[in-house]
Amino acid sequence: CIIREGVLPGHCLLACILLKIPALITYVAVVLTAMPLGTTTAVLAAKYNCDYRFGTRLVVFSTLVFDTVFAL
């Protein structure tokens, strides 16, 4: 949790600063890096009037595949 919400966004911010990425793109990248993965797809799809149900299905499917592969 601390890594996902603190360390990774911090590394993303540092990388964007070092690469001289424009401010708006940096802010978006840092916020997306800090968002919980499972909900990001559905939230952004709903916000931009896209098919959030399809996005949710993809998250569930990829989670199940990941869990199945790494359980072996």
Side-chain angles (χ1 to χ4, degrees):
C1 182
I2 291 172
I3 291 173
R4 179 74 187 151
E5 295 177 3
V7 175
L8 292 178
H11 285 193
C12 180
L13 178 61
L14 181 63
C16 288
I17 290 170
L18 291 174
L19 296 171
K20 297 180 178 22
I21 305 293
L24 179 60
I25 295 172
T26 298
Y27 299 151
V28 170
V30 171
V31 168
L32 287 176
T33 303
M35 287 184 74
L37 291 177
T39 59
T40 302
T41 303
V43 168
L44 293 178
K47 178 177 173 84
Y48 293 105
N49 297 319
C50 295
D51 190 358
Y52 67 90
R53 290 185 180 114
F54 178 68
T56 303
R57 280 189 236 128
L58 286 177
V59 170
V60 170
F61 176 75
S62 64
T63 301
L64 290 173
V65 168
F66 178 82
D67 290 346
T68 303
V69 168
F70 282 96
L72 300 175

